[in-house]
Amino acid sequence: MSEEKLPSRTEDFSEWYNQLVLKAELADYAPVRGCMVVRPYGWALWENIQAALDKRFKATGHVNAAFPLFIPMSFLEREKAHVEGFSPELAIVTIGGGEKLEEPLVVRPTSETVIGYMYSKWIQSYRDLPVLINQWGNVVRWELRTKLFLRTLEFYWQEGHTAHATEQEAREETMRMLGVYADFAINEGAVPVIQGVKSENEKFAGAVQSTSIEAMMGDTRALQAGTSHFLGQNFAKAFNIQYLDTNNTLQYVWTTSWGLSTRFVGAIIMTHGDDQGLILPPRLAPVQIVLIPIYKNDAELSAVMPVVERIKAELAEFRLKVDDRTEVTPGFKFNDWEMRGVPLRIEVGPKDVEKGMVALARRDRPGREGKSFAPQAGIAVAVTDLLTDIQKSLLARATAFRDSHIFDPKAYAELTEIVQNGWAYSYWCESAECETKVKEDTKASARCIPLGQEEGHGKCIVCGQDANRKVYFSRAY
Ligand SMILES: [Zn+2]
């Protein structure tokens, strides 16, 4: 941990992010270009993300399983759009045990194919449906431009794969899991997200329809933070996943897939962080509270430590760390834990001991504004209230930031300005031509057509043709 400061977030957001990831010890660069090492602190954050999601998956009837890392190349070729979409980023194994393989093996970029193959064996009758399986694992996509957590050759994620008897059920599942992601992002990550439908250009290779949750990062660029796909019968037909219905007629199943990855760590960093470092939402923070004893000599130390121990015991329900390092100053410790984004700091010094008080400092409000004092008695209640308020404040602040950077341009020229520092919310004719023009002119893409928008009619912001739905255009990660 060095005491060097981060680059300014407003002046160089990209470099601020890169250095923050390293200094907060979330991740490091691996020896292979484009790969990342997730360090224990970053992994602890990911584990909390996993736990919050897994609980929701189980509550909606899903179970976990594990499928293989290697997939026969021919499997990918069975679904045309799928192989076309993924071919440029495949890692392919051709030698195993010193022998050239009869068939090359793909290191999974996603598992629709191998899971589809297994489902064709497991599903025989309508009684076998629905199949609701999730897998936690890693995948490999050979990306050229990489950035820690946001885009790496190998990343960690979960992928849900479900099979249903009817189209309606599969469509409902797609939207249910999108809702689960939104609930998780908003209520656990304090990351406000917009649920919507992806454009044809941006949809998953092999999907009939893709949906996503989209979040605005601190530089106003969009981040696709989770996706849920309705796959129709594309994979069912490619892998012959059929069942006998109640009339004893053979039918193809309808499938979905949905995923959320370690990218979400990037979303948390870029939504909440500041010039001092990370700011973590209390519900996901690996360390929710850091407790720091303040003393100048042995006499003060022996007065302070029993109180520190007692407070630690009273706060046993929280993820709490006592920083009793003797080789560094309290000031160093403050900076260190601020860099790591710990939501709440408690200080106990000799004067606090005398008064029966502690000093509290909230990470989301640096300096004097975030400081308060509380009696040692009943500290658990005070801390619960503060952490709840921090969680709420982070969401409110991110939502206000997002909403103040979404604009409704009146003309195309205005759109091209807006997307330099915000999102444009505009009617769009949904043609690929207009989407491509925006991308070529501004680097902004169609992020999603939000759900639940009021029915309306307008003119496409690009071509002026009639349009029924509005879309968000923005630059994106
Ligand atoms: Zn148009």
Side-chain angles (χ1 to χ4, degrees):
M1 174 71 214
S2 81
E3 274 188 290
E4 259 174 80
K5 288 188 95 173
L6 291 171
S8 155
R9 184 177 186 264
T10 43
E11 279 165 29
D12 192 347
F13 194 83
S14 176
E15 198 46 33
W16 166 83
Y17 176 87
N18 292 341
Q19 291 197 27
L20 170 45
V21 169
L22 299 176
K23 284 184 201 277
E25 298 183 350
L26 293 169
D28 205 346
Y29 297 103
V32 173
R33 181 204 65 84
C35 289
M36 79 173 156
V37 177
V38 182
R39 298 188 67 175
Y41 193 57
W43 195 257
L45 176 56
W46 176 237
E47 282 178 336
N48 290 342
I49 292 171
Q50 285 184 300
L53 282 170
D54 205 64
K55 189 179 74 182
R56 287 168 168 79
F57 299 159
K58 303 269 168 67
T60 43
H62 302 85
V63 290
N64 288 330
F67 293 86
L69 184 65
F70 296 127
I71 302 177
M73 185 64 210
S74 60
F75 277 29
L76 271 87
E77 288 159 356
R78 288 201 209 176
E79 214 292 328
K80 193 166 165 287
H82 194 62
V83 71
E84 277 174 12
F86 279 102
S87 274
E89 24 185 86
L90 295 179
I92 300 170
V93 179
T94 56
I95 296 172
E99 302 271 332
K100 188 165 186 296
L101 299 175
E102 245 171 68
E103 181 180 355
L105 301 176
V106 171
V107 182
R108 64 180 171 210
T110 179
S111 302
E112 279 75 10
T113 57
V114 67
I115 291 177
Y117 175 83
M118 298 313 298
Y119 282 5
S120 72
K121 292 179 150 191
W122 297 342
I123 297 167
Q124 311 297 336
S125 135
Y126 68 91
R127 285 183 223 92
D128 300 326
L129 296 170
V131 176
L132 306 172
I133 293 181
N134 174 63
Q135 127 164 306
W136 289 99
N138 54 343
V139 286
V140 169
R141 297 176 185 178
W142 214 267
E143 303 277 2
L144 297 178
R145 298 187 59 200
T146 60
K147 202 169 174 71
L148 291 172
F149 288 115
L150 300 180
R151 184 166 278 110
T152 48
L153 260 57
E154 180 188 13
F155 60 86
Y156 302 88
W157 74 344
Q158 58 70 218
E159 48 180 322
H161 294 270
T162 70
H164 307 263
T166 67
E167 174 177 2
Q168 192 194 334
E169 275 183 45
R171 285 190 182 275
E172 283 170 7
E173 167 78 3
T174 307
M175 300 319 291
R176 180 181 308 119
M177 300 322 287
L178 185 70
V180 162
Y181 287 153
D183 173 56
F184 157 79
I186 294 166
N187 294 312
E188 306 281 351
V191 175
V193 292
I194 292 170
Q195 304 179 53
V197 177
K198 299 300 279 190
S199 70
E200 285 296 301
N201 267 345
E202 300 275 336
K203 80 179 182 187
F204 177 77
V208 171
Q209 185 184 62
S210 287
T211 63
S212 68
I213 50 170
E214 300 283 332
M216 185 188 285
M217 302 294 97
D219 61 350
T220 77
R221 284 167 75 173
L223 184 97
Q224 176 179 292
T227 52
S228 184
H229 313 292
F230 170 63
L231 304 173
Q233 294 182 315
N234 292 349
F235 288 89
K237 286 182 176 162
F239 288 89
N240 213 25
I241 317 172
Q242 288 182 294
Y243 71 99
L244 285 169
D245 69 13
T246 48
N247 300 317
N248 230 26
T249 309
L250 212 48
Q251 304 277 6
Y252 285 107
V253 301
W254 301 80
T255 66
T256 81
S257 67
W258 27 276
L260 187 146
S261 75
T262 35
R263 253 196 149 200
F264 199 84
V265 173
I268 290 172
I269 299 168
M270 293 195 293
T271 300
H272 302 305
D274 67 9
D275 282 353
Q276 274 66 55
L278 202 54
I279 299 180
L280 292 176
R283 292 185 63 89
L284 295 178
V287 178
Q288 295 171 308
I289 303 163
V290 61
L291 183 46
I292 301 183
I294 313 280
Y295 56 87
K296 286 197 212 71
N297 50 47
D298 285 351
E300 288 183 357
L301 177 65
S302 50
V304 161
M305 281 321 281
V307 177
V308 166
E309 288 305 323
R310 201 176 68 230
I311 289 171
K312 181 187 172 188
E314 280 182 33
L315 298 179
E317 69 194 276
F318 300 95
R319 297 188 288 272
L320 177 143
K321 185 163 175 61
V322 176
D323 188 349
D324 53 7
R325 285 180 289 177
T326 53
E327 71 279 14
V328 293
T329 64
F332 181 94
K333 293 178 185 178
F334 295 174
N335 290 339
D336 195 7
W337 295 106
E338 278 172 12
M339 179 68 78
R340 289 161 191 265
V342 172
L344 189 61
R345 180 176 81 226
I346 303 180
E347 301 161 23
V348 181
K351 279 188 188 144
D352 304 310
V353 171
E354 272 172 35
K355 292 185 203 156
M357 303 290 280
V358 296
L360 302 162
R362 49 192 289 176
R363 176 64 183 88
D364 62 325
R365 291 183 193 159
R368 193 166 292 176
E369 191 209 345
K371 273 231 160 182
S372 61
F373 294 88
Q376 290 164 16
I379 188 69
V381 176
V383 161
T384 303
D385 289 350
L386 258 177
L387 290 176
T388 305
D389 191 59
I390 293 167
Q391 182 84 27
K392 255 174 40 190
S393 301
L394 287 176
L395 178 62
R397 184 159 79 185
T399 307
F401 175 81
R402 180 194 67 189
D403 293 348
S404 67
H405 288 86
I406 296 177
F407 304 95
D408 185 357
K410 299 289 170 258
Y412 183 66
E414 201 184 326
L415 178 143
T416 63
E417 293 287 314
I418 285 169
V419 295
Q420 304 310 317
N421 190 36
W423 293 9
Y425 186 43
S426 302
Y427 277 107
W428 168 48
C429 67
E430 299 182 34
S431 79
E433 289 75 24
C434 289
E435 186 180 5
T436 306
K437 179 173 168 50
V438 173
K439 196 157 203 175
E440 283 174 358
D441 291 350
T442 68
K443 293 183 181 161
S445 51
R447 299 316 305 159
C448 72
I449 300 163
L451 305 180
Q453 58 179 287
E454 283 170 27
E455 265 187 52
H457 298 286
K459 302 288 181 195
C460 173
I461 190 73
V462 187
C463 69
Q465 301 281 321
D466 286 340
N468 299 320
R469 297 195 291 181
K470 295 179 101 173
V471 68
Y472 292 102
F473 284 108
S474 81
R475 293 164 309 139
Y477 282 96

